[in-house]
Structure formats: structure tokens, C-alpha cells
Amino acid sequence: MQTQSHALIGAYFFGQRDAVLMTVASLAGMAPDVPMFVTVAMLRLQGHSARQIFGHDYFQPWWQHINGVSHSLILWPIALLFALAARRLAPAARWPAIMLAAAAAGLAHACVDFLCHREDAHMHFWPLSAWKFVSPVSYYDAAHFGVPVMIFEAMLGLFMAWHLLRAARRRWSRGLIALVSLPYLATLVLLAIAPARAAPDTANREGAAAQAPAPDGTTTDMVPLGRFGTGTRGWAVVPLNKAIPPTRYVAGRKDGVPAIEAYADHSQALFAREVDLAIDQTPILCWRWWIAGVIDRADIRTKKGDDQAARVLVGLRLPRDTLSLGTRVKLSLGRARFGKLLPDGALNYVWDNKARQGTILPNAYTDRARMIVLQSGNGQAGQWVSERRDLAADMQGQFGTRAGRISLIALSTDTDNTGGVAHAAYADLHLVRRGSPCRFQP
């Protein structure tokens, strides 16, 4: 929830219609977010952009530990127990009531955040555990009930603000309550006009579609897959193990190139797009990638070393007659565990630390994925490198058929096995005809 919502919850539910208690409870309701505001201010003064702060810095262990302490579901309950004990020992004193209001408001903040944070979830039980509850509900992400949650928060906020406004006796407190109500009104107005704005946009898109056969840029000799200068529609972060922190993927510009930047820190996840494409007409995959440096401890041959600074994965749907019964059973079991995106086979183009260019090996975890080393070492680290690969030829060489289809395109920068850090960027993924040049954006 928004910080002012936590303040209103504290004042409304724990203020007991007492001016001092309402003030204390509102401040305590905001307290868990204060370290975040201080940290953001310090990073901004150091020249960090908002994209870097919330796309990378926020997910660093030091900041996650701070969030874990300020939102602790260990410390806040302890504070509440102390307050209850103090009230019992000194029922006539004023200070136990103040302690109780503060502890209850802070604990309410931690509990609410526990229930409505997803990728930005906190380590609520740190330092006993680094576990995070990735909630199915987000307070802002429309893909995870964000719209109804925002409406609920706005309505609840206005309800609490109205009742607190009626109880307030001083002008400055009434003015402050009215001020914090404005974001709720703005939220409701923006959500109300969004459908009205969407209707003309939809009509315009349909009209454009009637005039042009491929408004996404697809032509008879070029199929765009990841032109990130126009957004990331269709792409999503796909964690493979929810117990491992996900790699952060942030859209922006890297050295002037529209790209997806990946930041891995003891983390792992794909940035993936589900597709269904034949490759007989456009079998050549083109892209550009960039790394800050290779992962020194990586070893493409072992599970413990199965990390890459940069990897482009092409998932394939293969003809049924090319899959043995045993393979089909394994794939069915794998999809039951990892989801429907698991392909029949995968071509992994990797930037490795030490394997020679041209090395082709089965993945350390499964022979249904082949690791193809295109770049190795730090010789070209820190600069954009262009790639061009014949998918049809690679599919034939690795899986014995040219009749498959592309079911998935994914990017991966992961360091969960080696426990290191990595920074990479990806741009301009597209398919072209054999013999046609790659079409990299300027």
C-alpha cells in the first residue's frame, strides 16, 4: 500500500480518537518506509537514476536487509508484547498507551505489506530467514489484481480520511488529512477515464491493422521478437525456482541502445516471451548483447557452475515422431513441475567464461537443452556484440529435424549456482530470411 495509507490505518484503527495517540500511530504507521525514503534520497544525491534505484539498487542484499528489519514480523510483535506488558503493569500511565498505538500501527504496516507485495516482497523474518512471501496479490500490478486493490485502497483511504477529518480539531491537521486524500481521488479518476481512453486507442489500432498487414513490424523477410525501444509487451520475468531471488530485468537504454538490462545477484530467472513461429521462411536469429564481465566461477559442464553472464534461449516445439516415449513422459513430468512453457528442446546461445567459442554441450541438468558457446571470456566485455545464428541448421544438428517451431524466446543472466553477480544487456532480437542482413536499430 501507499505510505499515507499506512499512516491513516494507524491513526484510524489505533488512535482511539485521541489527538496524541492518532499522531503517534500515524507516524509509526509510516515508520517502516522511512529507511526507504532516506536511502532513495541518498542515492539520488549520488547521481543514481530512478530506474537504477528501483530496478537494481532496491534489490541489493544491503537494502533488502534494511527492509527486512523495518518490516520485521519478529521485531514489531515483540514491541507489541512489551507495550501490552507495560499497560498491564502501569494501567494508569500514559506512556504504555503511546507504545501500544505505535507498535500496533507498525505491525499493521508489516502485515499489510506481507499480503500485497510480489517481486518487491520483503524478508519479513530476517535475520532468522531470508525467505520472502511472493504474494499472489499486488497493490499496483494490474496482472495480479492491482486494479481492484488500488480501488479498494482508494475507497478505504477516503473513508478513513473522512472520519479522521471530522474528528480533527486543528486546521493544520485537517489540511494534512485533506492533502493525503488527493492521491486517492487521483487514482479513482485515472482508473475511471482509462477505459474511455482505451476505446479510441483500440479503434485506432484496428484501423491501422486494416490498412497494414503487420503493424508490429513483421514483414515477409523480418520478424521482430525483442525491439525493446517500443516496449516489452508480451515479455515477462519467469522465475524457475521461487525459493531463489529473481534476476532483475529493466527496460531502458544501454550506451544509447534500447535494451533490456539484467542484474543478477545470487539470483536466477528468465525474461521470456511465448511465441508460436515457423522458421522455414525466416530461420536466422539476430540480436545484440553486452556484458560487464564473465562469471569467474562458472563451469558450463557442471550443475554447480551452470551460470552464464548472458544467454539467449530458443525454446522449440518438435514433431511428435522425433520424441521417444521416454522423452514425452519426462517432458510431461517436467511441465507438471515447471509449467507449460517448458519446451520440447532448447537451443541456448551463451556468453561463457572459459569454454571455447563453438563448444556445444548438453545442459548440465537436461540433454533436452543444448549449450552453444558464441562468446567466451572478457575480450569483448563492456561493448555491444552482434550475433547471427541459423536456427534451422542448429535444430537439425541438435534435434535431427527442421520441422519444429519456436515456442519460446528467453533471456537469462543467472548467478544462483555460483553465488556471484553479473550485469548484461540484450537488444534487437529478430528473425530474417537466410541471406538477408540483420536489421539492428541505430
Side-chain angles (χ1 to χ4, degrees):
M1 279 190 170
Q2 300 177 54
T3 302
Q4 75 269 15
S5 297
H6 295 296
L8 290 174
I9 288 172
Y12 181 81
F13 288 100
F14 309 111
Q16 301 178 24
R17 301 279 179 161
D18 180 291
V20 173
L21 294 183
M22 285 194 293
T23 301
V24 169
S26 64
L27 292 175
M30 294 187 293
D33 284 346
V34 170
M36 178 185 69
F37 293 129
V38 173
T39 303
V40 170
M42 293 176 61
L43 292 174
R44 291 293 285 173
L45 289 174
Q46 294 175 19
H48 291 224
S49 66
R51 179 171 66 88
Q52 181 179 356
I53 290 172
F54 291 105
H56 175 60
D57 296 334
Y58 179 87
F59 298 93
Q60 297 307 297
W62 60 268
W63 195 341
Q64 291 295 294
H65 295 160
I66 293 173
N67 280 341
V69 172
S70 64
H71 292 79
S72 176
L73 289 177
I74 299 173
L75 297 179
W76 283 112
I78 290 175
L80 184 63
L81 290 175
F82 270 107
L84 290 170
R87 187 176 68 172
R88 185 169 183 177
L89 292 173
R94 179 69 163 164
W95 60 270
I98 293 175
M99 285 183 58
L100 185 60
L107 178 58
H109 183 138
C111 290
V112 170
D113 278 5
F114 182 81
L115 296 174
C116 59
H117 279 245
R118 286 186 52 78
E119 286 77 12
D120 56 348
H122 307 309
M123 295 185 293
H124 288 275
F125 300 97
W126 192 84
L128 298 182
S129 173
W131 175 77
K132 297 180 181 180
F133 174 60
V134 180
S135 174
V137 176
S138 169
Y139 72 99
Y140 68 90
D141 188 347
H144 299 282
F145 310 102
V147 171
V149 170
M150 285 189 289
I151 294 174
F152 172 78
E153 180 182 0
M155 298 298 291
L156 177 63
L158 291 173
F159 173 83
M160 293 185 296
W162 170 250
H163 283 274
L164 292 171
L165 191 64
R166 295 176 61 187
R169 296 180 180 179
R170 297 184 179 182
R171 289 184 178 179
W172 69 266
S173 59
R174 290 198 295 266
L176 184 60
I177 294 170
L179 182 63
V180 300
S181 301
L182 295 180
Y184 304 127
L185 294 172
T187 296
L188 293 175
V189 170
L190 291 174
L191 291 176
I193 66 175
R197 294 181 61 186
D201 291 344
T202 301
N204 291 337
R205 287 195 299 268
E206 291 175 350
Q211 298 174 19
D216 64 349
T218 300
T219 66
T220 57
D221 60 352
M222 196 275 284
V223 179
L225 297 172
R227 298 284 198 177
F228 299 119
T230 59
T232 59
R233 184 178 181 182
W235 291 81
V237 177
V238 180
L240 300 180
N241 185 339
K242 293 184 178 181
I244 298 173
T247 295
R248 302 302 304 173
Y249 294 95
V250 183
R253 301 184 74 88
K254 180 64 183 176
D255 298 339
V257 177
I260 288 292
E261 288 192 70
Y263 300 91
D265 186 348
H266 297 68
S267 62
Q268 159 260 72
L270 302 178
F271 190 64
R273 178 183 178 184
E274 188 175 4
V275 297
D276 182 16
L277 296 170
I279 59 174
D280 52 345
Q281 298 297 315
T282 52
I284 307 300
L285 176 63
C286 302
W287 75 94
R288 290 189 282 179
W289 52 3
W290 175 103
I291 65 166
V294 297
I295 303 169
D296 292 334
R297 296 173 56 194
D299 186 344
I300 198 173
R301 300 166 301 174
T302 68
K303 292 182 179 180
K304 290 184 178 180
D306 186 33
D307 286 338
Q308 290 84 41
R311 173 163 56 118
V312 174
L313 181 155
V314 181
L316 304 172
R317 186 164 65 251
L318 302 173
R320 185 177 177 83
D321 59 9
T322 66
L323 305 174
S324 68
L325 177 60
T327 297
R328 294 199 295 269
V329 170
K330 290 180 182 178
L331 289 171
S332 297
L333 294 174
R335 290 180 181 122
R337 179 180 178 185
F338 297 107
K340 66 176 183 177
L341 289 182
L342 185 68
D344 294 334
L347 300 170
N348 292 270
Y349 301 108
V350 303
W351 192 323
D352 196 53
N353 61 328
K354 58 186 178 183
R356 294 178 58 183
Q357 288 178 285
T359 298
I360 301 177
L361 293 170
N363 179 264
Y365 286 89
T366 172
D367 63 0
R368 301 308 302 170
R370 307 300 165 82
M371 315 299 284
I372 303 173
V373 179
L374 300 189
Q375 300 294 330
S376 185
N378 285 319
Q380 299 195 76
Q383 57 185 292
W384 282 104
V385 177
S386 300
E387 303 288 1
R388 177 187 178 93
R389 197 70 189 185
D390 189 329
L391 296 181
D394 285 339
M395 184 168 59
Q396 175 69 48
Q398 300 306 311
F399 298 105
T401 181
R402 288 177 176 260
R405 298 176 68 86
I406 303 175
S407 62
L408 180 73
I409 294 290
L411 315 175
S412 176
T413 295
D414 64 303
T415 58
D416 59 310
N417 292 308
T418 57
V421 296
H423 177 198
Y426 306 83
D428 285 332
L429 284 87
H430 60 285
L431 298 170
V432 297
R433 287 180 178 272
R434 189 175 286 107
S436 296
C438 294
R439 300 182 185 182
F440 297 119
Q441 294 178 306

